[in-house]
Amino acid sequence: MPATPSAAPGRLDVVRRLINTRDIEAGTDALSTPRGCVRWLRQEGLLARSVSTFSRAEADQLVAAREALRSALAAGEGGLDDDVLAELNSAAEAACLTIRFTPTGSWKVHSSADGVWQAIGRLVSIVIEAMADGTWSRLKVCADDGCRWAFYDRSRARSARWCSMRVCGNRAKQRAWRAREVPRGRLVP
């Protein structure tokens, strides 16, 4: 986990927090059990109070949606592979997403599903709204394969690659330096 994760604006931060429920570096996952999934979704206000438990299959659906979103962020503007597209489209369909127009002349994505699919639908609707307002492209995952933490890129050029320059960025620079110095015989063990 980075020292200073960069929060995303508004509701998009819920998606960042969802992705960060799995800490690859520490080997922990807040969504590893059905109870953990219910607890996290309820804490984030994404689950109806009437839902008290999930099956293992429902918990697996939430984890699959989280990992598809992580992959979508990692792809950036490079395009999504077929498996990620299929997972995200399947989640949107199972969540029964529809668009509702508001009295103010705007729109809102709505999920008419129940349980885990309603929660996933709410998450997907946040992503859709972020795509529409332009904030989605700034939500990224750390380029360090040992981290993959989600962060919001606030750099002017939108070019941040690591969740933390002090931690993951420094590790990457050290690895690059070692890769250059070892062939030259300059690295002392």
Side-chain angles (χ1 to χ4, degrees):
M1 180 174 164
T4 55
S6 184
R11 293 177 359 127
L12 185 56
D13 201 52
V14 173
V15 175
R16 183 191 64 83
R17 290 191 306 267
L18 169 73
I19 292 166
N20 292 345
T21 56
R22 178 174 173 222
D23 189 331
I24 294 169
E25 190 172 27
T28 60
D29 189 345
L31 306 181
S32 63
T33 65
R35 180 177 287 170
C37 291
V38 170
R39 185 180 315 119
W40 189 86
L41 290 170
R42 186 158 289 132
Q43 170 188 315
E44 296 295 333
L46 297 169
L47 191 62
R49 281 278 169 213
S50 61
V51 179
S52 59
T53 61
F54 278 174
S55 67
R56 178 77 254 168
E58 289 170 318
D60 290 345
Q61 290 296 329
L62 178 61
V63 169
R66 175 192 66 194
E67 294 308 317
L69 288 169
R70 183 189 315 272
S71 295
L73 292 177
E77 295 178 14
L80 303 179
D81 71 32
D82 292 341
D83 292 339
V84 172
L85 278 174
E87 182 64 39
L88 292 175
N89 286 328
S90 175
E93 186 175 340
C96 303
L97 293 181
T98 58
I99 294 176
R100 294 203 173 154
F101 294 96
T102 67
T104 61
S106 63
W107 54 273
K108 194 161 190 74
V109 180
H110 174 75
S111 173
S112 60
D114 293 319
V116 70
W117 290 114
Q118 182 180 50
I120 291 171
R122 289 176 176 170
L123 289 160
V124 171
S125 73
I126 292 168
V127 171
I128 292 167
E129 290 168 10
M131 287 175 169
D133 71 18
T135 56
W136 174 252
S137 63
R138 285 188 176 265
L139 191 61
K140 299 178 178 182
V141 292
C142 185
D144 183 343
D145 288 334
C147 178
R148 307 304 279 168
W149 202 253
F151 68 98
Y152 193 75
D153 180 2
R154 294 188 183 278
S155 69
R156 176 180 271 180
R158 298 178 180 224
S159 59
R161 297 189 56 221
W162 302 287
C163 61
S164 167
M165 190 58 200
R166 285 189 327 198
V167 179
C168 293
N170 190 41
R171 285 183 202 153
K173 288 181 176 190
Q174 286 177 354
R175 280 191 299 271
W177 179 81
R178 284 188 180 108
R180 286 189 308 269
E181 295 303 309
V182 168
R184 295 180 190 166
R186 293 183 185 170
L187 186 63
V188 178

